Amino acid sequence: MSAWRVVCAKEILENLRDRRTMISVFVIGPLMGPVLFALLISLILSTQLEQAEKPLEVPVVGAEHAPQLIRHLKAVGVVVKDAPESPEEAVRKRDADVVLRIPEGFAESWREGESAKLELVLDSSQQKARASVTRLKSALQSYAELTASQRLLLRGVSPEVVRPLLIAEVDQSTPQSRAIMILSMLPYLLILTVFAGGSYLAIDTTAGERERQSLEPLLANPASRAELMSGKLVATTLFAWASLALSLVLFSLSSSIIPMDKLGMEIKLGVMECLKLFLIAAPLGIVGAAVMTIVAAFAKSFREAQTYMTFVILAPALPSMVMAINPLKPADWMYSVPLVSHQLLIEQTVRGEVTAWAQVALSVGVTVALGLVLAAVAARLYHRESLAISA
């Protein structure tokens, strides 16, 4: 066998016997993404369904000033509650999501056909209260439109006069594409899994062996250092790929049992989708293995390498965060930028959009080329005599 294959087999066998490596590659890495995903989806589902199904309870101040309005609110399902002593304090303490205040002059303005004022006491910073506020505004708007139409009819004017436009929305989204609002974190989780899956092995095969003083005898072998490094890189990449594959399987299983249809969405992560996602993300295993090997080569101990690796694993989050804050329209050149291209391709696959294989090939080709360049840099570092000397 060639030297790199011997080293690769050695690293794989040694790390298969290491409990910490097995937990990192096959438990923490693959489980972290699907568990976060399942918890997030379950929380969103429970919150949305609870807000949609529970009655809308609204405390009303001055209900006696607008009896017709109160009857309308009750007719559309609003539960009118007694007014609290201090509406502002009730909202601040979250005893009420929103309080409707009807001023004393409401009835007079209404009889005169003037614009009558209503006040909504709310706290816009409370995320959970927004659904209640929106539902109440919708109920009040329907009453305003009904009253406006009646006033126009009494004056012999068609209500259509004040509605010169009828806007009909032609929604081009699909249940699968709407799910991307929830699956926006999936690209980062998959990329994170690739990096995390090989991190422990990259540290152990360089900084770990250096600290245990077993790297120096290995480098003293007649095999070239490039071959030794190649064997370690291949082993690290294989572990990263194994972590990615297991994570995709768990994502597929978790998405199949989540009732997304209740929100009018669909998550489709079947065999073909998972294979495509693996093809898209797999080249990052080469890049991650090379980068983490380079970082570990500068560390003097296993613990120091772990500290550095935290920042390396978090780095892939930057494109995801930037594109989440400022979504970009996909352009051809973006598919030649690692991490950005992976973000776009993973999103397109999850949305069920048709992806040009030329774009996938460009992303894979550029990422593999970058990985080989970084592997060459790692090979150069293996020629340093100080690499084998422990602190």
Side-chain angles (χ1 to χ4, degrees), residues 169-200:
E169 295 184 358
V170 183
D171 193 352
Q172 298 299 301
S173 67
T174 63
Q176 189 172 351
S177 66
R178 286 193 293 271
I180 195 62
M181 295 183 290
I182 297 177
L183 296 177
S184 57
M185 61 184 296
L186 181 60
Y188 172 61
L189 291 176
L190 289 179
I191 295 171
L192 178 64
T193 300
V194 176
F195 278 76
S199 62
Y200 192 89

mmCIF file of all heavy atoms in Angstrom, residues 169-200:
data_model
loop_
_atom_site.group_PDB
_atom_site.id
_atom_site.type_symbol
_atom_site.label_atom_id
_atom_site.label_comp_id
_atom_site.label_asym_id
_atom_site.label_seq_id
_atom_site.Cartn_x
_atom_site.Cartn_y
_atom_site.Cartn_z
ATOM 1 N N GLU A 169 -54.005 39.090 -5.483
ATOM 2 C CA GLU A 169 -52.648 38.551 -5.392
ATOM 3 C C GLU A 169 -52.574 37.198 -6.105
ATOM 4 O O GLU A 169 -53.391 36.315 -5.861
ATOM 5 C CB GLU A 169 -52.242 38.382 -3.923
ATOM 6 C CG GLU A 169 -52.133 39.700 -3.170
ATOM 7 C CD GLU A 169 -51.643 39.480 -1.744
ATOM 8 O OE1 GLU A 169 -51.435 38.300 -1.365
ATOM 9 O OE2 GLU A 169 -51.476 40.471 -1.025
ATOM 10 N N VAL A 170 -51.595 37.063 -6.985
ATOM 11 C CA VAL A 170 -51.338 35.803 -7.682
ATOM 12 C C VAL A 170 -50.046 35.243 -7.094
ATOM 13 O O VAL A 170 -48.933 35.531 -7.549
ATOM 14 C CB VAL A 170 -51.211 36.009 -9.204
ATOM 15 C CG1 VAL A 170 -51.028 34.664 -9.903
ATOM 16 C CG2 VAL A 170 -52.437 36.732 -9.747
ATOM 17 N N ASP A 171 -50.189 34.462 -6.057
ATOM 18 C CA ASP A 171 -49.040 33.943 -5.310
ATOM 19 C C ASP A 171 -48.354 32.823 -6.094
ATOM 20 O O ASP A 171 -48.977 31.816 -6.432
ATOM 21 C CB ASP A 171 -49.505 33.423 -3.949
ATOM 22 C CG ASP A 171 -48.342 33.163 -3.009
ATOM 23 O OD1 ASP A 171 -47.180 33.248 -3.457
ATOM 24 O OD2 ASP A 171 -48.596 32.865 -1.825
ATOM 25 N N GLN A 172 -47.073 33.028 -6.383
ATOM 26 C CA GLN A 172 -46.310 32.036 -7.142
ATOM 27 C C GLN A 172 -45.568 31.055 -6.238
ATOM 28 O O GLN A 172 -44.862 30.178 -6.734
ATOM 29 C CB GLN A 172 -45.286 32.744 -8.048
ATOM 30 C CG GLN A 172 -45.925 33.655 -9.087
ATOM 31 C CD GLN A 172 -46.832 32.897 -10.032
ATOM 32 O OE1 GLN A 172 -46.402 31.981 -10.722
ATOM 33 N NE2 GLN A 172 -48.110 33.266 -10.040
ATOM 34 N N SER A 173 -45.724 31.211 -4.956
ATOM 35 C CA SER A 173 -45.030 30.299 -4.053
ATOM 36 C C SER A 173 -45.731 28.948 -4.009
ATOM 37 O O SER A 173 -46.900 28.817 -4.373
ATOM 38 C CB SER A 173 -44.978 30.894 -2.641
ATOM 39 O OG SER A 173 -46.281 30.953 -2.079
ATOM 40 N N THR A 174 -44.990 27.960 -3.594
ATOM 41 C CA THR A 174 -45.517 26.610 -3.413
ATOM 42 C C THR A 174 -45.376 26.241 -1.942
ATOM 43 O O THR A 174 -44.616 26.886 -1.209
ATOM 44 C CB THR A 174 -44.746 25.604 -4.276
ATOM 45 O OG1 THR A 174 -43.373 25.563 -3.834
ATOM 46 C CG2 THR A 174 -44.782 26.003 -5.749
ATOM 47 N N PRO A 175 -46.094 25.224 -1.483
ATOM 48 C CA PRO A 175 -45.907 24.800 -0.090
ATOM 49 C C PRO A 175 -44.450 24.508 0.246
ATOM 50 O O PRO A 175 -43.992 24.768 1.360
ATOM 51 C CB PRO A 175 -46.771 23.533 -0.005
ATOM 52 C CG PRO A 175 -47.844 23.744 -1.020
ATOM 53 C CD PRO A 175 -47.174 24.474 -2.148
ATOM 54 N N GLN A 176 -43.686 24.014 -0.741
ATOM 55 C CA GLN A 176 -42.288 23.696 -0.498
ATOM 56 C C GLN A 176 -41.439 24.961 -0.440
ATOM 57 O O GLN A 176 -40.549 25.085 0.406
ATOM 58 C CB GLN A 176 -41.758 22.770 -1.598
ATOM 59 C CG GLN A 176 -40.366 22.203 -1.302
ATOM 60 C CD GLN A 176 -39.968 21.155 -2.313
ATOM 61 O OE1 GLN A 176 -40.772 20.721 -3.132
ATOM 62 N NE2 GLN A 176 -38.713 20.737 -2.263
ATOM 63 N N SER A 177 -41.707 25.913 -1.335
ATOM 64 C CA SER A 177 -40.907 27.141 -1.323
ATOM 65 C C SER A 177 -41.217 28.007 -0.104
ATOM 66 O O SER A 177 -40.349 28.716 0.393
ATOM 67 C CB SER A 177 -41.150 27.936 -2.611
ATOM 68 O OG SER A 177 -42.484 28.402 -2.675
ATOM 69 N N ARG A 178 -42.473 27.971 0.383
ATOM 70 C CA ARG A 178 -42.805 28.755 1.579
ATOM 71 C C ARG A 178 -42.081 28.228 2.814
ATOM 72 O O ARG A 178 -41.882 28.959 3.776
ATOM 73 C CB ARG A 178 -44.321 28.743 1.819
ATOM 74 C CG ARG A 178 -45.099 29.615 0.846
ATOM 75 C CD ARG A 178 -46.522 29.825 1.320
ATOM 76 N NE ARG A 178 -47.302 28.593 1.293
ATOM 77 C CZ ARG A 178 -47.985 28.171 0.249
ATOM 78 N NH1 ARG A 178 -47.992 28.888 -0.868
ATOM 79 N NH2 ARG A 178 -48.686 27.056 0.286
ATOM 80 N N ALA A 179 -41.694 26.966 2.775
ATOM 81 C CA ALA A 179 -41.002 26.385 3.926
ATOM 82 C C ALA A 179 -39.616 26.963 4.119
ATOM 83 O O ALA A 179 -39.027 26.823 5.193
ATOM 84 C CB ALA A 179 -40.907 24.866 3.773
ATOM 85 N N ILE A 180 -39.069 27.650 3.089
ATOM 86 C CA ILE A 180 -37.728 28.203 3.226
ATOM 87 C C ILE A 180 -37.688 29.283 4.294
ATOM 88 O O ILE A 180 -36.633 29.588 4.855
ATOM 89 C CB ILE A 180 -37.236 28.763 1.870
ATOM 90 C CG1 ILE A 180 -35.724 29.012 1.894
ATOM 91 C CG2 ILE A 180 -37.969 30.051 1.522
ATOM 92 C CD1 ILE A 180 -34.910 27.787 2.121
ATOM 93 N N MET A 181 -38.853 29.894 4.601
ATOM 94 C CA MET A 181 -38.891 30.884 5.674
ATOM 95 C C MET A 181 -38.478 30.254 6.998
ATOM 96 O O MET A 181 -37.931 30.917 7.875
ATOM 97 C CB MET A 181 -40.291 31.489 5.777
ATOM 98 C CG MET A 181 -40.713 32.286 4.557
ATOM 99 S SD MET A 181 -42.335 33.070 4.753
ATOM 100 C CE MET A 181 -43.408 31.617 4.726
ATOM 101 N N ILE A 182 -38.751 28.966 7.141
ATOM 102 C CA ILE A 182 -38.373 28.254 8.348
ATOM 103 C C ILE A 182 -37.029 27.554 8.167
ATOM 104 O O ILE A 182 -36.256 27.411 9.100
ATOM 105 C CB ILE A 182 -39.462 27.237 8.728
ATOM 106 C CG1 ILE A 182 -40.763 27.979 9.057
ATOM 107 C CG2 ILE A 182 -39.047 26.372 9.896
ATOM 108 C CD1 ILE A 182 -41.918 27.076 9.382
ATOM 109 N N LEU A 183 -36.744 27.134 6.913
ATOM 110 C CA LEU A 183 -35.529 26.381 6.645
ATOM 111 C C LEU A 183 -34.345 27.277 6.306
ATOM 112 O O LEU A 183 -33.348 26.798 5.768
ATOM 113 C CB LEU A 183 -35.773 25.404 5.487
ATOM 114 C CG LEU A 183 -36.799 24.301 5.740
ATOM 115 C CD1 LEU A 183 -36.988 23.459 4.495
ATOM 116 C CD2 LEU A 183 -36.372 23.426 6.900
ATOM 117 N N SER A 184 -34.444 28.574 6.581
ATOM 118 C CA SER A 184 -33.355 29.483 6.236
ATOM 119 C C SER A 184 -32.064 29.140 6.965
ATOM 120 O O SER A 184 -30.970 29.504 6.515
ATOM 121 C CB SER A 184 -33.759 30.925 6.555
ATOM 122 O OG SER A 184 -34.114 31.050 7.919
ATOM 123 N N MET A 185 -32.158 28.453 8.091
ATOM 124 C CA MET A 185 -30.976 28.089 8.847
ATOM 125 C C MET A 185 -30.364 26.766 8.385
ATOM 126 O O MET A 185 -29.266 26.422 8.801
ATOM 127 C CB MET A 185 -31.327 27.969 10.329
ATOM 128 C CG MET A 185 -32.365 26.904 10.643
ATOM 129 S SD MET A 185 -32.842 26.844 12.385
ATOM 130 C CE MET A 185 -31.311 26.356 13.163
ATOM 131 N N LEU A 186 -31.043 26.037 7.493
ATOM 132 C CA LEU A 186 -30.553 24.733 7.063
ATOM 133 C C LEU A 186 -29.197 24.806 6.371
ATOM 134 O O LEU A 186 -28.328 23.968 6.653
ATOM 135 C CB LEU A 186 -31.582 24.054 6.155
ATOM 136 C CG LEU A 186 -31.211 22.655 5.648
ATOM 137 C CD1 LEU A 186 -31.003 21.704 6.823
ATOM 138 C CD2 LEU A 186 -32.286 22.114 4.716
ATOM 139 N N PRO A 187 -28.948 25.768 5.439
ATOM 140 C CA PRO A 187 -27.625 25.808 4.804
ATOM 141 C C PRO A 187 -26.489 25.916 5.815
ATOM 142 O O PRO A 187 -25.485 25.197 5.707
ATOM 143 C CB PRO A 187 -27.706 27.052 3.910
ATOM 144 C CG PRO A 187 -29.156 27.190 3.599
ATOM 145 C CD PRO A 187 -29.872 26.751 4.847
ATOM 146 N N TYR A 188 -26.653 26.807 6.789
ATOM 147 C CA TYR A 188 -25.582 26.952 7.777
ATOM 148 C C TYR A 188 -25.411 25.695 8.616
ATOM 149 O O TYR A 188 -24.283 25.294 8.927
ATOM 150 C CB TYR A 188 -25.853 28.144 8.691
ATOM 151 C CG TYR A 188 -24.874 28.221 9.840
ATOM 152 C CD1 TYR A 188 -23.517 28.370 9.604
ATOM 153 C CD2 TYR A 188 -25.301 28.094 11.153
ATOM 154 C CE1 TYR A 188 -22.613 28.422 10.645
ATOM 155 C CE2 TYR A 188 -24.410 28.147 12.203
ATOM 156 C CZ TYR A 188 -23.060 28.311 11.949
ATOM 157 O OH TYR A 188 -22.178 28.353 12.977
ATOM 158 N N LEU A 189 -26.512 25.050 8.983
ATOM 159 C CA LEU A 189 -26.417 23.841 9.804
ATOM 160 C C LEU A 189 -25.685 22.720 9.058
ATOM 161 O O LEU A 189 -24.884 21.990 9.648
ATOM 162 C CB LEU A 189 -27.805 23.377 10.227
ATOM 163 C CG LEU A 189 -28.538 24.283 11.231
ATOM 164 C CD1 LEU A 189 -29.939 23.753 11.500
ATOM 165 C CD2 LEU A 189 -27.747 24.384 12.533
ATOM 166 N N LEU A 190 -25.944 22.588 7.768
ATOM 167 C CA LEU A 190 -25.256 21.556 6.991
ATOM 168 C C LEU A 190 -23.768 21.882 6.858
ATOM 169 O O LEU A 190 -22.913 20.995 6.992
ATOM 170 C CB LEU A 190 -25.893 21.429 5.606
ATOM 171 C CG LEU A 190 -27.289 20.812 5.559
ATOM 172 C CD1 LEU A 190 -27.804 20.758 4.132
ATOM 173 C CD2 LEU A 190 -27.294 19.404 6.171
ATOM 174 N N ILE A 191 -23.460 23.155 6.582
ATOM 175 C CA ILE A 191 -22.052 23.553 6.464
ATOM 176 C C ILE A 191 -21.342 23.386 7.797
ATOM 177 O O ILE A 191 -20.194 22.923 7.863
ATOM 178 C CB ILE A 191 -21.964 25.006 5.964
ATOM 179 C CG1 ILE A 191 -22.524 25.108 4.541
ATOM 180 C CG2 ILE A 191 -20.526 25.509 5.988
ATOM 181 C CD1 ILE A 191 -22.677 26.524 4.034
ATOM 182 N N LEU A 192 -22.020 23.749 8.875
ATOM 183 C CA LEU A 192 -21.443 23.588 10.209
ATOM 184 C C LEU A 192 -21.170 22.119 10.506
ATOM 185 O O LEU A 192 -20.145 21.770 11.107
ATOM 186 C CB LEU A 192 -22.399 24.168 11.249
ATOM 187 C CG LEU A 192 -21.982 24.040 12.715
ATOM 188 C CD1 LEU A 192 -20.708 24.827 12.962
ATOM 189 C CD2 LEU A 192 -23.090 24.532 13.626
ATOM 190 N N THR A 193 -22.071 21.233 10.086
ATOM 191 C CA THR A 193 -21.887 19.800 10.310
ATOM 192 C C THR A 193 -20.638 19.287 9.613
ATOM 193 O O THR A 193 -19.897 18.465 10.161
ATOM 194 C CB THR A 193 -23.112 19.025 9.803
ATOM 195 O OG1 THR A 193 -24.270 19.474 10.510
ATOM 196 C CG2 THR A 193 -22.946 17.531 10.018
ATOM 197 N N VAL A 194 -20.393 19.772 8.393
ATOM 198 C CA VAL A 194 -19.206 19.339 7.648
ATOM 199 C C VAL A 194 -17.937 19.730 8.395
ATOM 200 O O VAL A 194 -17.026 18.919 8.567
ATOM 201 C CB VAL A 194 -19.204 19.953 6.235
ATOM 202 C CG1 VAL A 194 -17.924 19.586 5.501
ATOM 203 C CG2 VAL A 194 -20.411 19.466 5.447
ATOM 204 N N PHE A 195 -17.885 20.976 8.859
ATOM 205 C CA PHE A 195 -16.688 21.442 9.565
ATOM 206 C C PHE A 195 -16.549 20.769 10.925
ATOM 207 O O PHE A 195 -15.455 20.355 11.312
ATOM 208 C CB PHE A 195 -16.741 22.964 9.730
ATOM 209 C CG PHE A 195 -16.297 23.718 8.518
ATOM 210 C CD1 PHE A 195 -17.115 23.836 7.407
ATOM 211 C CD2 PHE A 195 -15.048 24.315 8.469
ATOM 212 C CE1 PHE A 195 -16.718 24.525 6.278
ATOM 213 C CE2 PHE A 195 -14.631 25.013 7.347
ATOM 214 C CZ PHE A 195 -15.466 25.116 6.244
ATOM 215 N N ALA A 196 -17.657 20.663 11.647
ATOM 216 C CA ALA A 196 -17.591 20.066 12.984
ATOM 217 C C ALA A 196 -17.270 18.581 12.917
ATOM 218 O O ALA A 196 -16.597 18.037 13.806
ATOM 219 C CB ALA A 196 -18.915 20.285 13.712
ATOM 220 N N GLY A 197 -17.741 17.904 11.855
ATOM 221 C CA GLY A 197 -17.515 16.468 11.761
ATOM 222 C C GLY A 197 -16.057 16.086 11.652
ATOM 223 O O GLY A 197 -15.638 15.019 12.124
ATOM 224 N N GLY A 198 -15.247 16.935 11.032
ATOM 225 C CA GLY A 198 -13.826 16.618 10.879
ATOM 226 C C GLY A 198 -12.921 17.373 11.819
ATOM 227 O O GLY A 198 -11.698 17.177 11.794
ATOM 228 N N SER A 199 -13.474 18.246 12.650
ATOM 229 C CA SER A 199 -12.639 19.100 13.497
ATOM 230 C C SER A 199 -11.828 18.302 14.511
ATOM 231 O O SER A 199 -10.623 18.539 14.683
ATOM 232 C CB SER A 199 -13.507 20.132 14.210
ATOM 233 O OG SER A 199 -14.449 19.500 15.067
ATOM 234 N N TYR A 200 -12.487 17.362 15.175
ATOM 235 C CA TYR A 200 -11.783 16.624 16.232
ATOM 236 C C TYR A 200 -10.632 15.821 15.635
ATOM 237 O O TYR A 200 -9.536 15.762 16.191
ATOM 238 C CB TYR A 200 -12.756 15.702 16.966
ATOM 239 C CG TYR A 200 -12.168 15.127 18.234
ATOM 240 C CD1 TYR A 200 -12.302 15.796 19.446
ATOM 241 C CD2 TYR A 200 -11.463 13.932 18.219
ATOM 242 C CE1 TYR A 200 -11.743 15.281 20.608
ATOM 243 C CE2 TYR A 200 -10.904 13.406 19.371
ATOM 244 C CZ TYR A 200 -11.053 14.084 20.566
ATOM 245 O OH TYR A 200 -10.493 13.578 21.714
#
